[in-house]
C-alpha cells in the first residue's frame, strides 16, 4: 500500500497515517518504589526507555503506599509493579521489560536504559572480600 503525501498538510498526512496504523495503547502502570533503591531505579529506567507513563508510588515516605503495596502483593519486598491490574511482586527492571514484551504491551526498541535494570540497592551490593593474611 502506497501513501501519496505530496500536497497534504502535516495534519492531513498524520490523519492518513493514523487511519491505517492504530497507535499501541499504553498499559496502566502503578509502580511501588523506593526513592533511591537500585531495583527501583531499574524499573524507572525501563519506563523511560519505552516512554511509558506510570504512577510512581513512594513506599518509604508514604506509609499508606507501602501498606497498599503489601495488601495488593501479599508480601513486603519491593519493587512491586501493577500493570493493567496484574501485580508483579519483588521485580527487577529486566523482569518488568520481559513481562511487557511477552504480553505484547510494548514493542522492542534498541535504546539502552539510562540506569542499570537489575541491580540491588547500594547497601545490598556485595562487598569485596577482605584479603586473608596467613602467618608462618
Amino acid at each position: 500500500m502506497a501513501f501519496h503525501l505530496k500536497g497534504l498538510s502535516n495534519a492531513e498526512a498524520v490523519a492518513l497515517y493514523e487511519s491505517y496504523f492504530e497507535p499501541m495503547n499504553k498499559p496502566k502502570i502503578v509502580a511501588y518504589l523506593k526513592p533511591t533503591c537500585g531495583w527501583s531505579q531499574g524499573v524507572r529506567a525501563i519506563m523511560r526507555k519505552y516512554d511509558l507513563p506510570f504512577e510512581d508510588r513512594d513506599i518509604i515516605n508514604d506509609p499508606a503506599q507501602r501498606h497498599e503495596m503489601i495488601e495488593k502483593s501479599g508480601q513486603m519486598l519491593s519493587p512491586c509493579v501493577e500493570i493493567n491490574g496484574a501485580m508483579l511482586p519483588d521485580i527487577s527492571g529486566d523482569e518488568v521489560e520481559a513481562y511487557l514484551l511477552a504480553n505484547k504491551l510494548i514493542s522492542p526498541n534498541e535504546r539502552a536504559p539510562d540506569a542499570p535494570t537489575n541491580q540491588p540497592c547500594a547497601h545490598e551490593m556485595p562487598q569485596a572480600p577482605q584479603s586473608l593474611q596467613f602467618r608462618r
Side-chain angles (χ1 to χ4, degrees), residues 71-109:
E71 287 293 315
K72 286 185 167 189
S73 71
Q75 52 86 57
M76 297 177 62
L77 300 174
S78 70
C80 291
V81 180
E82 187 177 18
I83 302 173
N84 290 341
M87 179 58 81
L88 310 175
D90 187 23
I91 194 161
S92 70
D94 286 349
E95 293 165 324
V96 170
E97 182 177 34
Y99 177 88
L100 291 165
L101 288 166
N103 288 281
K104 299 184 182 350
L105 298 170
I106 57 173
S107 297
N109 75 35

Side-chain angles (χ1 to χ4, degrees), residues 8-22:
L8 295 179
S9 70
N10 282 346
E12 291 168 328
V14 168
L16 179 62
Y17 177 84
E18 288 178 348
S19 71
Y20 286 97
F21 300 101
E22 241 179 81

Side-chain angles (χ1 to χ4, degrees), residues 19-30:
S19 71
Y20 286 97
F21 300 101
E22 241 179 81
M24 183 182 289
N25 290 329
K26 300 223 178 185
K28 178 175 176 18
I29 302 172
V30 178

Side-chain angles (χ1 to χ4, degrees), residues 98-125:
Y99 177 88
L100 291 165
L101 288 166
N103 288 281
K104 299 184 182 350
L105 298 170
I106 57 173
S107 297
N109 75 35
E110 296 302 317
R111 286 195 308 191
D114 59 11
T117 57
N118 193 18
Q119 182 173 309
C121 302
H123 71 279
E124 295 173 348
M125 293 288 284

